[in-house]
């Protein structure tokens, strides 16, 4: 693995576990075994590192959602696979990278905000498509727009992650996610 990728992997884990304001270049440098000056060579500022993290995380998420769409024809199965992405992060004692960044957005460089926003817009667009497809297939039944329910679903997952992290109750996250998915299912 190239040094740049090692730096990004280390920084991503640290952000997902501690938050963007909860780690330093020294933490990353120590973990990957380089000097801070070498880290600054790859990412001159912490904002540069943050931008690279969001871009990589967003690209990985986009690939994961494309894989979910390719592997799951049922809208319900797609939704369950989406929830599994969040469950996996919690199992690794991590938060959604952009979720944790959103909680710190008022303390971050303004350059990060549009990238964070774009991450959420993309997820809402993907969820909207899944929900609209599921409704047209008769798998889901909800009033209002698919986009409003996509926003509700994503917001609820993000909030459930925060609560699980604060309380240490990952089962609470699972129960919340199950209720969200059940609430969308059409009555048989």
């Amino acid at each position: 693995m190239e040094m740049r990728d090692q730096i990004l992997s280390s920084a991503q884990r640290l952000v997902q576990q501690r938050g963007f304001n909860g780690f330093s270049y020294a933490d990353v440098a120590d973990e990957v075994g380089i000097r801070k000056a070498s880290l600054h060579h790859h990412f001159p500022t912490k904002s540069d590192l943050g931008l690279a993290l969001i871009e990589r995380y967003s690209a990985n998420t986009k690939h994961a959602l494309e894989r979910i769409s390719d592997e799951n024809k049922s809208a319900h199965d797609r939704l369950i696979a989406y929830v599994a992405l969040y469950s996996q992060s919690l199992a690794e004692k991590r938060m959604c990278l952009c979720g944790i960044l959103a909680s710190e957005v008022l303390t971050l460089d303004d350059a990060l905000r549009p990238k964070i926003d774009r991450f959420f817009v993309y997820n809402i667009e993907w969820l909207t498509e899944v929900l609209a497809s599921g409704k047209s297939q008769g798998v889901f039944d909800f009033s209002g727009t698919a986009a409003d329910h996509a926003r509700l679903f994503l917001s609820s997952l993000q909030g459930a992650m925060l609560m699980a992290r604060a309380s240490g109750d990952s089962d609470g996250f699972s129960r919340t996610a199950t209720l969200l998915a059940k609430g969308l299912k059409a009555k048989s």
Side-chain angles (χ1 to χ4, degrees), residues 19 47 88 92 133 136:
S47 290
Q88 180 181 349
E92 296 170 354
S133 172
S136 71

Side-chain angles (χ1 to χ4, degrees), residues 11-171:
Q12 180 177 325
R13 183 188 54 74
L14 290 168
V15 172
Q16 288 182 282
Q17 291 177 337
R18 299 181 189 176
F20 195 75
N21 295 317
F23 84 98
S24 68
Y25 267 33
D27 295 324
V28 176
D30 287 346
E31 193 168 288
V32 298
I34 60 173
R35 296 184 342 258
K36 282 189 337 184
S38 297
L39 186 56
H40 282 283
H41 169 75
H42 292 281
F43 303 99
T45 68
K46 197 169 179 186
S47 290
D48 293 327
L49 177 58
L51 287 169
L53 285 170
I54 297 167
E55 288 171 5
R56 184 174 93 148
Y57 189 78
S58 294
N60 288 342
T61 299
K62 183 177 181 183
H63 293 304
L65 298 183
E66 289 169 354
R67 188 186 79 255
I68 288 170
S69 292
D70 290 344
E71 293 175 0
N72 299 282
K73 298 305 171 204
S74 159
H76 180 261
D77 290 346
R78 287 180 182 181
L79 204 59
I80 298 307
Y82 184 80
V83 169
L85 296 175
Y86 285 82
S87 297
Q88 180 181 349
S89 290
L90 272 178
E92 296 170 354
K93 301 199 181 314
R94 296 181 182 208
M95 298 294 294
C96 166
L97 179 81
C98 289
I100 199 73
L101 291 173
S103 73
E104 297 179 292
V105 76
L106 296 179
T107 64
L108 302 177
D109 187 310
D110 288 340
L112 299 176
R113 181 175 271 171
K115 300 280 187 188
I116 295 167
D117 185 51
R118 183 65 201 134
F119 172 84
F120 289 115
V121 167
Y122 181 79
N123 277 260
I124 290 169
E125 289 171 347
W126 186 86
L127 283 166
T128 297
E129 182 182 312
V130 169
L131 294 177
S133 172
K135 188 170 186 176
S136 71
Q137 296 168 356
V139 175
F140 298 137
D141 183 30
F142 51 84
S143 61
T145 68
D148 286 343
H149 282 276
R151 192 173 297 104
L152 174 65
F153 197 87
L154 179 57
S155 299
S156 297
L157 285 182
Q158 291 285 339
M161 283 189 88
L162 285 171
M163 290 178 63
R165 180 180 189 172
S167 67
D169 181 14
S170 58
D171 288 339

